[in-house]
Amino acid sequence: MQLHDVWFVLIAVLWIGYFFLEGFDFGVGILTKLLARDRPERRVLINTIGPVWDGNEVWLISAGGATFAAFPEWYATLFSGFYLPLLIILVCLIVRGVAFEYRVKRPEESWQRNWETAIFWTSLIPAFLWGVAFGNIVRGVKIDRNLEYVGTFGDLLNPFALLGGLVTLTLFTFHGAVFTALKTIGDIRERARRLARWVGLVTAVLALLFLVRAQIEQGDGKSLVALSVAVAALVAALAANQAGREGWAFALSGVTVVAAVAMLFLTLFPNVMPSTLNADWSLTVNNASSSPYTLKIMTWCAGIAMPIVLLYQGWTYWVFRKRIGTQHIADAAGAVH
């Protein structure tokens, strides 16, 4: 395996880690409107991800930086062609981070309600747009002989990509619901399990349609295995959720996310962005990669940095592993525990 192949795999791992972690993070943000009945319950939901949401975004920064350094042609074409949706995602992530921090700065109900509404929308919109973006990457876009995107924003809103957006939106919401059931106590825990059941069923239908189509058009034996694992894990997650085994339900919903994203990268390889105009104009791991020397230096850096990142993130989740409920919310408006 050559270094550009290794870095394709590493970038896939970074995106898998991001969607696994930020997936339930986005899902909890969406549930602040779908599940919570009052402000104390919204504060419980926000507090379940309060200590970890910013660490989860490290994976996105790493994935973007690795793509820029390892596959500059891919990065340039992706960010120029997908400029508007990626800009919307970036703005949402900025506003979302501000909302988490500023929500507690003033006690007025209107102030906190507005920031909580911002958390909801800035969780829902990226959850949908990431699916649209990856749907287009897998399906292929209009890339010319100069390896430049020549399509329009409207070209990105095709049925397959929009279906991908619905899949990530519902999958992340399901992932967030089972995480909520795992991290809370009391009535909100039971309602999270019930909501997870219905959202999970919708997710199963949409994901099956999306992944099967991707498999038929571009898949092989390896992607078929990943598809099978994703489907089996989602069914098992629904069964575990129904049985009240929240730990297993969350682990299996995580396996669903991992296998589904892995399947998309398996259908993509050796391309990184297929061209719908001419297959010879597609961006591949060969024509989009940096020099071997650059990849070699990056490999050494990643070998040192990645274990450190994994250790401190694992430690964070361990420290904040306990369940919480409305009884843990202080009377002072906006207090975080």
Side-chain angles (χ1 to χ4, degrees):
M1 180 180 287
Q2 299 185 48
L3 280 179
H4 53 63
D5 298 327
V6 171
W7 272 97
F8 179 87
V9 173
L10 289 177
I11 288 172
V13 169
L14 290 170
W15 280 109
I16 288 170
Y18 174 67
F19 285 136
F20 176 89
L21 296 171
E22 194 85 307
F24 73 75
D25 194 327
F26 285 145
V28 172
I30 294 168
L31 294 178
T32 58
K33 292 292 186 183
L34 300 183
L35 182 65
R37 292 175 174 172
D38 51 32
R39 173 143 297 112
E41 288 192 350
R42 282 193 291 275
R43 287 166 58 190
V44 167
L45 291 175
I46 293 171
N47 287 356
T48 62
I49 59 174
V52 299
W53 68 267
D54 48 355
N56 294 344
E57 292 186 358
V58 170
W59 291 79
L60 174 61
I61 297 170
S62 300
T67 304
F68 172 77
F71 299 99
E73 287 284 356
W74 183 13
Y75 183 92
T77 304
L78 176 65
F79 277 78
S80 60
F82 293 23
Y83 180 82
L84 183 56
L86 292 178
L87 177 62
I88 294 172
I89 291 172
L90 178 60
V91 171
C92 284
L93 294 179
I94 292 171
V95 173
R96 190 169 185 262
V98 172
F100 279 123
E101 299 299 331
Y102 273 52
R103 180 183 60 88
V104 299
K105 298 302 183 183
R106 290 172 57 177
E108 292 89 347
E109 180 178 349
S110 59
W111 173 271
Q112 297 192 8
R113 183 177 61 250
N114 289 338
W115 285 119
E116 288 165 359
T117 299
I119 290 173
F120 168 76
W121 285 109
T122 56
S123 298
L124 184 149
I125 293 172
F128 175 76
L129 288 180
W130 279 127
V132 173
F134 270 82
N136 277 294
I137 291 173
V138 171
R139 172 182 173 270
V141 292
K142 294 180 179 179
I143 298 175
D144 65 11
R145 65 174 67 251
N146 298 316
L147 306 183
E148 295 179 359
Y149 178 74
V150 293
T152 65
F153 176 70
D155 293 329
L156 302 179
L157 303 179
N158 56 80
F160 181 74
L162 293 175
L163 177 60
L166 292 176
V167 170
T168 52
L169 176 60
T170 54
L171 179 57
F172 291 170
T173 304
F174 172 69
H175 198 32
V178 294
F179 178 79
T180 299
L182 176 66
K183 288 288 293 179
T184 58
I185 56 178
D187 182 57
I188 193 171
R189 174 187 176 188
E190 297 302 319
R191 282 187 283 116
R193 285 175 50 199
R194 290 197 295 270
L195 181 62
R197 179 177 62 213
W198 295 111
V199 175
L201 291 173
V202 174
T203 302
V205 174
L206 294 175
L208 191 61
L209 291 173
F210 179 74
L211 296 178
V212 167
R213 180 174 172 183
Q215 173 65 29
I216 291 173
E217 292 186 357
Q218 295 174 277
D220 57 15
K222 294 178 182 178
S223 61
L224 180 60
V225 171
L227 186 155
S228 302
V229 171
V231 172
L234 182 55
V235 172
L238 284 167
N241 177 71
Q242 185 67 21
R245 304 294 297 273
E246 290 101 345
W248 279 106
F250 177 69
L252 289 165
S253 71
V255 171
T256 304
V257 174
V258 170
V261 180
M263 186 240 174
L264 295 181
F265 275 95
L266 286 170
T267 61
L268 195 58
F269 186 82
N271 294 321
V272 293
M273 282 190 76
S275 172
T276 57
L277 299 178
N278 188 322
D280 293 334
W281 299 343
S282 297
L283 291 173
T284 69
V285 293
N286 292 302
N287 64 20
S289 67
S290 293
S291 67
Y293 181 75
T294 299
L295 296 178
K296 183 177 180 180
I297 296 297
M298 289 176 60
T299 304
W300 279 103
C301 293
I304 296 171
M306 281 298 294
I308 298 173
V309 172
L310 293 173
L311 283 173
Y312 83 68
Q313 275 213 291
W315 177 79
T316 302
Y317 278 93
W318 174 256
V319 170
F320 295 100
R321 67 188 181 279
K322 292 184 179 179
R323 296 177 183 265
I324 62 173
T326 53
Q327 62 267 43
H328 298 115
I329 301 297
D331 292 334
V336 179
H337 288 261

